[in-house]
Amino acid sequence: MAAVTQDTAVSTGRVTRTFLYVVLGVFALFYLLPLYVMGVNSVKPLAEITGGNMMALPRVWTLEPWRAAWSTAQIGIEPTGLRPYFLNSILMVVPAVAISTVLGALNGYVLTKWRFRGDTIVFGLMLFSCFIPFQIVLIPMALVLGKLGLAGSVPGLVMVHVVYGIGFTTLYYRNYYASFPTELVRAAMMDGAGFFQIFWRIMLPVSGPITVVSVIWQFTNIWNDFLFGASFGGTSQPMTVALNNLVQSSTGVKEYNVHFAGAILAALPTLFVYIVAGRYFVRGLMAGSVKG
Amino acid sequence: MGFLDISHVTKSYGQVQVLHEVDIAVQEGEFLVLVGPSGCGKSTLLNMIAGLEAISSGDIAIKGRVINGVHPSKRNIAMVFQSYALYPNMTVGQNMTFGLEMHGVPKPARDAALADVAKLLQIDHLLDRKPGQLSGGQRQRVAMGRALVRNPDVFLFDEPLSNLDAKLRVDMRTEIKKLHQKLKTTIVYVTHDQIEAMTLSTRIAVMNKGYVQQLGTPKEIYDTPANLFVATFMGSPAMNILPATVVMEGGQPHAEITDADGARRLLRFSQGNLAEWADKPILLGIRPEAITDPEGADRKSANIQPLANRVTVTEPAGSDTFVTMTLSGKDVIARMRADAMVAPGEVFDFAINMDKAVAFDPATEARIPQ
Amino acid sequence: MSTSTTADFRTRLQDWLPKVVLAPSFAVILLFVYGFIAFTVVLSFTGSKMLPKFDFIGFTNYAKLFALQHWTTAVVNLAIFATLYIAISMAVGLMLAIFLDQKIRGEGLLRPLYLYPMALSFIVTGTAWKWFLDPGIGLEKTMHLWGWESFHFTWIKDSDMAIYTIVIAAVWQTSGFVMAMFLAGLRGIDNEILKAAQIDGASNWQLYRRIVIPMLRPAFLSAFVILFHLAIKSYDLVVALTGGGPGRATELPATFMYSYTFTRNQMGIGASSAVIMLMTIAAIMVPYLYSELKEKP
Ligand SMILES: Nc1ncnc2c1ncn2[C@@H]1O[C@H](COP(=O)(O)OP(=O)(O)OP(=O)(O)O)[C@@H](O)[C@H]1O
Ligand SMILES: [Mg+2]
């Protein structure tokens, strides 16, 4: 009988184990391949791409495509490179993540520790908003942003991302706080702490893990968004939209190496966050499967 | 009027009424234990005293001041929770002084109060630790310390010992009792452990299904239970309850029962007033320790009735031996001295202390006053 | 005796403060989600073209919508895409999770490798796969250069096959995430149950088929719900990978809605297509969320 320890592993023979490693290895290659292709081809001269093998390492190494993608490539009609759009994305992501996370934390706190009649319905309505196809709000959102004078501006995008991010952040914090003992809140109440004091002194100090999750989730989601950026970006388009414009531009020769460099630039911040704090991210995704 | 007055208090969650007209007056310095089976409303009542649950109707007053609707922190009460509810991010010292800090007590005064209580509870050396680094018993002490530091009018305890292992529970029980005797504070203590209730309390309120069944000293509750529920809930092993009929013999009321072989037996009651129940069925209650061997019988008792009966099972338990037999078709447990020579299957001469026997009305389940 | 239940100021403040704190978020959601949904539903019954107009024309937009070849293509594509995407992602994810759960050396390295595509934007994924699958510079050319002259892989240029390239890229992006969900589920299974089954004489295959996989039911449900709503919302990936082409071969309802509303100025029809998308998601999500949230204390 196989000794079952921490996983559901079963006893297997040599042949089976070899097979397992081969399959796992092949899939590892499958996931790595596109990144590898983008990587090597972003440091090749264009001629080597069109004339040579996509898999081959560069014969001449060059950082020129990266420089071009960053500061000189033609985006739309201006030869600005991706730099200004990168900045737009940063300006959009930081406040949107901060605001939606703070609101989510407060909402989760109220929905678990200050329950009231109908709180489940309120939460259900907030939760469903995570899953709507955003096409259903595009038209009225465009009108409202126009009316508010926020169309095509970074604050407009911040607002949109906060509105449609609250559902997720609330979900995370609510699930996290639900397993936080209510007796602690009651003890603090008897000790004389008020609503905000309890939040600040008792809840927040233990909210580190879920805050990491919420921030990473919101950061990747908002950074990677394309639909809202393309619809409401106007002159303040984020990185994803600019990358798409760069890649899809029909004028001139297709500078594949520049496109690849641009794609990696667009992916870098989220990849970085993922590498630094990926373990928490996975845990957060688990919490995302709506468990009370 | 008491120190803590609970008058006509009820509690409903929507349509469900979980507490019915509770009336308890707690005197200053009293140790009141609320005991009852799970779900009977003990915690609910305690939370209403604490202000953590709204009162549906009725009043709760401390020192004559009605405190319905007063914020929990303004009632001058402290509570020890079942899970201890220590703030995980704060040290022991910070945990204990958090309440004083919230009440605006200046730091020197907080530190002085902390030092006193820490010394009293012998936790001085733990003050810089986080709750996660403490054992169960230490956490329990810290939780009590947090309550003591506030120097409240009333202490509330919600099953504070139920998370401890058996040995530690007995130690902490003694400690709480000592503490109460030393500090003479007013305590309301919830438990579903009847031994805890008996040992700690000055008075007990036995609750069931949202009703207070009986309020009295441990002795009153044990010897003269108000009804069948209290009689069987308090005491371990539980009181033996036998169907019996009252018959008059020689002008004295007797309980008529049957022995293991189905033969009719009579046990004379000590009290005369059961004569009114002549020829009517009753439920006869006899505690296990009131059934012994003749040598082990209570010498002060004026009415020891002999009863020979067949023994079913014997269970030696070290200090005592529990003997099971059948009376009136029910299993009856007797608590014998450890060295009483009893063997299963034999017919043994038991001695029943009828001074301690009680009778219940089978219809209302209330005790028949004697 | 008076049953004075008038609370003091502190208590009353503490009573309404939580609701005040929650209110702005809730109001925003009510307005920007449910209000906007209502607005779009209303628009779908009007003859709006470039700007909203409130000339009600009943179900005309819906009738027109379902008569459009373009929309039919989008719906058929979505059906193909969603079915394959969900099925393959779950199969790959489950397989990788079970394999990784066999005390594999290097699990710590493989897990993040499988997962990292989740961190990328669909635009980046689309860009990468677009060139990788492009016969002129990508896989096909590489194979030819490596001497496999007869290798032929032109799905991305083939109107009948292009939709499958979307499936490939989407599976690439999310199957690692599905793997993580299943792995968490596997790790949550009580080992005593498995020991008991092994003592009962279950073979490895039976162990997984009869005990482990049925116990992963919650993970299957969560994965399905997440993949399903991602499938219907898929927009960026199509834009970056095929731009809806060749021709209209890879149009999905999401791209259809966008082009009808914003480039073809058929706002009424665009709105009605959005309503259909919402109703499709709601048909799955509402019962799911309801069962998740009810009877929780
Ligand atoms: N929020 C609530 N809504 C509805 N019913 C409740 C609520 N809280 C408690 N109850 C019910 O009130 C009754 C009393 O609960 P309470 O917690 O006071 O019991 P208890 O005597 O403390 O039991 P235990 O020994 O298990 O702690 C129970 O039947 C319980 O189901
Ligand atoms: Mg309780």
Side-chain angles (χ1 to χ4, degrees), chain B residues 50 68 70 76 85 88 90 127 141 161 169 172 175 201-202 215 217-218 222 234 242 246 249 262 268 284 291 319 324:
Chain B
N68 302 9
V70 174
N76 203 17
M90 301 185 198
L127 293 183
R141 271 167 215 269
L161 303 183
R169 197 178 311 162
M172 287 307 296
E175 196 133 338
S201 64
T202 56
L215 177 64
T217 64
Y222 195 76
M234 301 300 287
L242 314 176
V246 176
E249 285 250 341
R268 181 168 62 80
L284 175 65
I291 311 177
S319 57
T324 309

Side-chain angles (χ1 to χ4, degrees), chain A residues 4 8 14 27 35 39 61 82 92 95 100 104 111 122-124 134 136 149 164 167 175 178 191 197 211 223 225 257:
Chain A
V4 180
T8 53
R14 277 273 283 286
F27 271 93
L35 193 66
W61 293 73
L82 290 168
M92 166 185 83
S100 58
L111 288 171
V122 169
F123 177 60
F134 291 124
I136 196 85
Y164 299 108
N175 285 358
D191 272 342
Q197 275 170 320
T211 304
W223 184 275
D225 161 72
N257 49 0

Side-chain angles (χ1 to χ4, degrees), chain A residues 114 117 180-194 197-198 200-206, chain B residues 47 50 52-53 71-73 77 79 81-90 98-99 101-103 146 150:
Chain A
W114 299 85
R117 193 182 291 267
F180 185 87
T182 302
E183 279 199 348
L184 277 169
V185 174
R186 295 188 148 191
M189 255 167 95
M190 299 202 55
D191 272 342
Q197 275 170 320
I198 295 175
W200 193 249
R201 298 283 301 270
I202 313 289
M203 307 297 284
L204 265 195
V206 296
Chain B
N47 287 338
L52 297 170
E53 301 265 8
H71 192 265
S73 67
I77 44 178
M79 184 153 170
F81 292 87
Q82 181 170 7
S83 66
Y84 315 140
L86 300 178
Y87 311 124
N89 55 307
M90 301 185 198
F98 184 70
E101 188 191 333
M102 290 294 117
H103 282 84
R146 182 169 67 183
R150 301 259 312 272

Side-chain angles (χ1 to χ4, degrees), chain B residues 25-207:
Chain B
V26 186
Q27 303 306 322
E28 182 157 14
E30 199 172 1
F31 197 131
L32 177 78
V33 171
L34 303 176
V35 68
S38 192
C40 70
K42 311 177 293 281
S43 298
T44 305
L45 182 57
L46 201 71
N47 287 338
M48 291 194 319
I49 300 173
L52 297 170
E53 301 265 8
I55 300 167
S56 299
S57 74
D59 283 313
I60 296 181
I62 295 179
K63 291 186 186 166
R65 177 175 76 117
V66 174
I67 53 167
N68 302 9
V70 174
H71 192 265
S73 67
K74 300 264 171 69
R75 298 181 173 204
N76 203 17
I77 44 178
M79 184 153 170
V80 177
F81 292 87
Q82 181 170 7
S83 66
Y84 315 140
L86 300 178
Y87 311 124
N89 55 307
M90 301 185 198
T91 64
V92 167
Q94 288 166 338
N95 257 286
M96 287 171 60
T97 52
F98 184 70
L100 295 179
E101 188 191 333
M102 290 294 117
H103 282 84
V105 177
K107 180 122 174 60
R110 296 202 307 252
D111 288 344
L114 175 64
D116 282 352
V117 172
K119 192 147 154 269
L120 179 70
L121 292 171
Q122 296 159 354
I123 48 175
D124 335 41
H125 59 295
L126 303 175
L127 293 183
D128 293 325
R129 293 211 202 155
K130 293 274 177 72
Q133 303 163 307
L134 301 179
S135 71
Q138 289 169 333
R139 274 180 226 180
Q140 169 64 50
R141 271 167 215 269
V142 174
M144 290 201 309
R146 182 169 67 183
L148 282 173
V149 160
R150 301 259 312 272
N151 193 21
D153 289 335
V154 180
F155 282 95
L156 307 177
F157 287 82
D158 193 354
E159 308 203 20
L161 303 183
S162 59
N163 283 342
L164 300 177
D165 61 48
K167 167 92 175 65
L168 205 52
R169 197 178 311 162
V170 176
D171 294 347
M172 287 307 296
R173 199 168 75 197
T174 317
E175 196 133 338
I176 292 177
K177 179 129 195 178
K178 275 193 209 150
L179 211 59
H180 176 246
Q181 282 170 352
K182 186 144 133 206
L183 301 174
K184 307 257 180 313
T185 44
T186 311
I187 295 179
V188 181
Y189 185 109
V190 163
T191 181
H192 60 245
D193 178 343
Q194 43 96 14
I195 300 187
E196 248 173 55
M198 295 294 295
T199 50
L200 285 173
S201 64
T202 56
R203 271 198 307 161
I204 298 178
V206 183
M207 298 177 62

